[in-house]
Amino acid sequence: MQQQNIELSKKRDLGEVVSDTFTFIKQNFKPLFKVVLTFCGLFMLATAAAYAMQQLKTFELQRELFNGAGAQSFSSPLDRFGIEYLLSMLFMMLSYTLMTLTVLSYMALYKQKGNVPPTTEEVWGYIKYYFLRVLGGTILLSILLILATAACIIPGVYVYPIFGLVFPIMIMENASFTYAFNRSFTIIKENWWLTFGTLFVMGLITYVGYMIFSIPTIIITVVNLFTHGTKTAASSAPLLIVISLIQQAGQILYVLPLIALGFCYYNLTEVKEGSGLIDRINQFGTHNPDSNLPAEEY
């Protein structure tokens, strides 16, 4: 018997959010990662290229020091980082923004269509509509999170799950940044620990997975250090490119906490407002042949 497509608007505890995150990925693996790679793949490759150029520059500076060139190679921050560092940071931010927007848009459309995977064209429509809003929100929330953490670690930890809900609210409810920001404080009230615990567990799983991706890069880096210590950066370019590509491949794991965040939003709105129940009442007596759900009986 074919497994029924997962329902998003449902009350869930931490364990159910985590398990349903993996179930959702399993059920939507092909269409989900198709849209992620379609809209984020180019920026992930651009980030890898910029990071590889930065590493090549750093390697060349280290080689000069190793050969006794002196500390003048590190005379300014621009010598240490340069345009390569700025480009890698820019592409990384764009990649992060697009991945957040793509995954949450996919979930919003999935729910709107009655638990049916959306098409690439439908997700693209959401991306065009919300991109500048989410990009601006990413910059603002990053600044606020840095300030909160700098003031004291505890405020930074406290606002992290609250800030995380801003983007699901913005996309699921077609809301402005100000509305989404204020509403995130409202819906998380009395459920902060559940949301924080979910993000912590999924973040830990993502980190472990990313470390597995990093094992080949660590091996390559150590081998390169002992075999190319006095050679030119050009001789190490292929290895550094491979390292960059592997690290960017690991970024795909960020899909996990994003989907969990979407489930947190739907869980909180269901607990606070019964949104899923309201939707089912509104659809009472109707049947969507594409939803893979049984018809209502009345």
Side-chain angles (χ1 to χ4, degrees):
M1 181 177 179
Q2 185 177 5
Q3 186 179 10
Q4 182 173 300
N5 284 354
I6 196 167
E7 178 73 27
L8 296 183
S9 292
K10 176 185 173 183
K11 294 181 181 179
R12 293 177 170 89
D13 57 27
L14 191 154
E16 289 173 324
V17 172
V18 173
S19 63
D20 283 353
T21 294
F22 287 99
T23 301
F24 184 84
I25 292 176
K26 179 181 178 181
Q27 293 182 349
N28 295 267
F29 186 87
K30 185 176 180 179
L32 174 61
F33 284 97
K34 177 183 177 181
V35 297
V36 169
L37 293 176
T38 297
F39 299 122
C40 307
L42 179 61
F43 288 96
M44 293 173 68
L45 289 175
T47 303
Y51 180 77
M53 290 189 296
Q54 177 195 345
Q55 291 299 103
L56 283 171
K57 185 173 185 178
T58 301
F59 181 84
E60 183 63 24
L61 291 173
Q62 291 174 341
R63 186 190 67 83
E64 291 177 5
L65 286 177
F66 186 83
N67 291 333
Q72 62 271 18
S73 298
F74 295 88
S75 59
S76 71
L78 186 62
D79 291 332
R80 301 180 189 182
F81 302 106
I83 190 65
E84 298 87 356
Y85 178 78
L86 296 177
L87 284 175
S88 64
M89 294 299 294
L90 173 63
F91 289 134
M92 186 180 299
M93 183 179 66
L94 291 174
S95 178
Y96 167 84
T97 300
L98 277 172
M99 188 172 293
T100 300
L101 181 52
T102 300
V103 172
L104 295 178
S105 296
Y106 184 97
M107 296 184 75
L109 285 162
Y110 175 91
K111 183 177 184 298
Q112 288 181 15
K113 296 183 67 175
N115 306 330
V116 175
T119 64
T120 303
E121 291 75 18
E122 290 171 331
V123 176
W124 173 237
Y126 264 57
I127 291 175
K128 290 188 295 183
Y129 183 77
Y130 288 106
F131 177 74
L132 291 178
R133 199 182 307 183
V134 173
L135 178 61
T138 299
I139 296 172
L140 286 174
L141 290 178
S142 297
I143 294 173
L144 291 174
L145 186 59
I146 291 172
L147 292 176
T149 305
C152 184
I153 298 298
I154 295 177
V157 173
Y158 173 74
V159 299
Y160 177 72
I162 300 174
F163 286 0
L165 292 170
V166 170
F167 297 124
I169 295 172
M170 190 182 295
I171 296 171
M172 312 302 184
E173 301 183 18
N174 188 21
S176 66
F177 175 81
T178 302
Y179 174 86
F181 184 84
N182 293 329
R183 179 161 165 74
S184 63
F185 283 88
T186 301
I187 65 174
I188 204 174
K189 188 177 181 181
E190 299 178 358
N191 288 279
W192 184 89
W193 281 109
L194 173 62
T195 309
F196 174 79
T198 300
L199 294 181
F200 178 81
V201 171
M202 293 308 301
L204 186 61
I205 293 173
T206 303
Y207 176 77
V208 172
Y210 185 75
M211 289 304 295
I212 294 175
F213 268 91
S214 299
I215 291 176
T217 69
I218 295 173
I219 295 174
I220 292 173
T221 300
V222 172
V223 172
N224 183 56
L225 179 65
F226 285 100
T227 59
H228 295 81
T230 60
K231 297 183 179 180
T232 63
S235 63
S236 300
L239 291 178
L240 293 175
I241 292 173
V242 170
I243 290 173
S244 300
L245 290 175
I246 292 175
Q247 289 181 331
Q248 284 306 304
Q251 296 296 324
I252 202 73
L253 295 172
Y254 183 61
V255 168
L256 288 171
L258 282 174
I259 293 176
L261 192 60
F263 275 113
C264 285
Y265 163 79
Y266 285 116
N267 174 61
L268 293 174
T269 54
E270 182 70 14
V271 170
K272 291 284 185 178
E273 303 160 357
S275 57
L277 177 60
I278 293 174
D279 289 341
R280 288 189 288 272
I281 292 175
N282 290 335
Q283 296 173 4
F284 188 73
T286 64
H287 176 57
N288 181 359
D290 296 326
S291 67
N292 293 329
L293 295 175
E296 298 280 1
E297 297 181 1
Y298 56 96

